[in-house]
Each structure stands twice: as structure tokens, then as C-alpha cells.
Amino acid sequence: DTAVSQTPKYLVTQMGNDKSIKCEQNLGHDTMYWYKQDSKKFLKIMFSYNNKELIINETVPNRFSPKSPDKAHLNLHINSLELGDSAVYFCASSQVNNEQFFGPGTRLTVL
Amino acid sequence: GNSVTQMEGPVTLSEEAFLTINCTYTATGYPSLFWYVQYPGEGLQLLLKATKADDKGSNKGFEATYRKETTSFHLEKGSVQVSDSAVYFCALSSGGGADGLTFGKGTHLIIQP
């Protein structure tokens, strides 16, 4: 029944490692997004994909690489993790110009 | 560019008090406006939305009216409950296709019994 799901919910790793976060939506939406929420709760768009095509790539380091194998999935791969990457990452989906539905978030902690 | 400004928290109220959380925005064109709520340890849930001037969004006793002349979308509730304790985010979408939401910094609301 979950509309937008993310795995894992928690991710603890060492600096320099590579990790991935997966996102799936079963709402039939065309557009998916990744947001980063910092320790002060501020939310900022990172990427958006429409029909598997990258639409938005905000000023995110190229260590972050989104991949959309199909319309229902948008994964986030992060290379060479840094301390400043610690945050909660939210996936979301929408039909174009409609409200966005958010996943439960993945709390990434880089040690 | 787009921006959203909302009152900083935390806002602490007693149960049954009247709530207002101010939100103003800067955007090109005619944005859609949203209020999202984040309960502790959870993701964001859409609380209400308005897509054009003078629209009023409402849900669960919360209301907000899209005021183009004052570029505002203030959130109100007549009588808050302890269960309303959460972080509230005002956001806008400029409607240019698959654009992301621009969020305010969030307002932490604490309701005391």
C-alpha cells in the first residue's frame, strides 16, 4: 500500500565509502525527485526526473548520481562520502504540476 | 529566483489556542502554494494547497488563503490539539513542468496540554 518507499531507512557509513539509496513509487507518476534535509530541517531540491529523463540538477556535487531505470524508480548513488553529506534524503513523486508525495526519508550518517 | 519566508519557531501554544503561521513568497509567474507537515521521524505529508489567487485550501481544520496582493499564504487553525505538534513547511511550485518545490525553513509547532 505504500505510495513512495525508500530503502534503507537508516544508513551509517564511513567517510570515503560509496552508498546507494533506492526509491520506488506505485502511484503511476511521471516525475520523481530527490531532496536533502539538513540538520536544521531545511529542505532543498537536488534532482528531478520526468519519464526517466533528468530535468533538474541543482548545484549538487557530481559525487551524487541519480539513476532512473524506469518511471517507478529513482535511485541515488553517492561516491566518496563526506561528513557534510550527513542528512535526511527524501524521495518524492508527482504528476506534472500536481502536488508531490514524499517517501519516509533515509537518514544518512557519515562517520 | 523563487523563495519562501515563514516565521521561525519554535511556536509554543496551549491546547485549543488559535494558530497562525505566516508565510510569504517571491516567485515569477503564478505559483501553486502548499503547506506540508512533518511529524517526528516521518516524511512530509501534504496538508493543503491552493493553485490560484483567492483560492482557500483547507484540511483537518487548517486553512490558508492564496493572497496574490500580499504574496502570502498564512496557515490558520481555530483550535489546536496536542496531536498537531509537528514541523510545518510552506512551499511553492512555479509550475514549470517537473520543477521541484521551493520550501520555507519550517516552523516547529509545540502544543502543550
Side-chain angles (χ1 to χ4, degrees), chain A residues 53-86:
Chain A
E53 181 181 344
L54 179 65
I55 303 298
I56 291 176
N57 180 353
E58 292 293 322
T59 50
V60 177
N62 58 14
R63 298 182 294 104
F64 289 78
S65 52
K67 286 193 170 48
S68 182
D70 55 56
K71 271 183 17 173
H73 296 85
L74 180 61
N75 303 324
L76 183 64
H77 189 76
I78 315 170
N79 289 328
S80 303
L81 278 155
E82 300 177 357
L83 292 176
D85 297 332
S86 296

Side-chain angles (χ1 to χ4, degrees), chain B residues 90-107:
Chain B
C90 185
L92 71 82
S93 168
S94 56
D99 60 335
L101 292 168
T102 300
F103 283 93
K105 292 188 175 182
T107 301

Side-chain angles (χ1 to χ4, degrees), chain B residues 5-6 14 17 21 25 27 33 38 41 45 56 59 61 66 69 74-75 78 82 86 91 99 104 107 111:
Chain B
T5 303
Q6 61 182 105
S14 297
I21 301 178
Y25 67 89
L33 301 174
Q38 184 177 27
Q45 301 175 25
K56 177 186 279 189
N59 185 25
Y66 189 142
E69 63 277 11
H74 305 321
L75 182 68
V82 172
D99 60 335
T107 301
I111 307 300

Side-chain angles (χ1 to χ4, degrees), chain B:
Chain B
N2 297 336
S3 68
V4 175
T5 303
Q6 61 182 105
M7 55 195 296
E8 301 274 338
V11 172
T12 303
L13 295 172
S14 297
E15 206 166 19
E16 299 184 3
F18 183 85
L19 168 71
T20 301
I21 301 178
N22 290 337
C23 171
T24 57
Y25 67 89
T26 303
T28 53
Y30 302 96
S32 295
L33 301 174
F34 305 87
W35 277 99
Y36 280 84
V37 57
Q38 184 177 27
Y39 297 102
E42 297 185 12
L44 280 79
Q45 301 175 25
L46 178 67
L47 182 59
L48 53 84
K49 69 174 184 178
T51 57
K52 61 183 187 297
D54 299 325
D55 267 2
K56 177 186 279 189
S58 61
N59 185 25
K60 299 181 181 180
F62 291 90
E63 293 183 340
T65 301
Y66 189 142
R67 301 282 187 205
K68 190 169 183 294
E69 63 277 11
T70 54
T71 60
S72 65
F73 193 54
H74 305 321
L75 182 68
E76 295 182 337
K77 186 174 185 182
S79 176
V80 293
Q81 306 300 313
V82 172
S83 57
D84 293 327
S85 298
V87 181
Y88 292 80
F89 292 92
C90 185
L92 71 82
S93 168
S94 56
D99 60 335
L101 292 168
T102 300
F103 283 93
K105 292 188 175 182
T107 301
H108 186 194
L109 176 65
I110 300 168
I111 307 300
Q112 296 177 334

Side-chain angles (χ1 to χ4, degrees), chain A residues 11-94:
Chain A
L11 185 52
V12 181
T13 188
Q14 301 286 332
M15 269 196 324
N17 284 352
D18 304 338
K19 290 294 179 186
S20 292
I21 306 171
K22 295 186 176 182
C23 177
E24 176 181 2
Q25 55 95 3
N26 62 6
L27 298 166
H29 289 161
D30 293 327
T31 309
M32 296 185 72
Y33 311 80
W34 279 108
Y35 289 85
K36 179 179 180 180
Q37 186 175 44
D38 64 22
S39 60
K40 295 184 178 179
K41 298 283 190 185
F42 185 60
L43 278 151
K44 188 169 169 59
I45 181 75
M46 300 173 69
F47 302 101
S48 76
Y49 267 73
N50 182 254
N51 280 319
K52 302 195 300 174
E53 181 181 344
L54 179 65
I55 303 298
I56 291 176
N57 180 353
E58 292 293 322
T59 50
V60 177
N62 58 14
R63 298 182 294 104
F64 289 78
S65 52
K67 286 193 170 48
S68 182
D70 55 56
K71 271 183 17 173
H73 296 85
L74 180 61
N75 303 324
L76 183 64
H77 189 76
I78 315 170
N79 289 328
S80 303
L81 278 155
E82 300 177 357
L83 292 176
D85 297 332
S86 296
V88 181
Y89 293 85
F90 286 101
C91 177
S93 73
S94 73

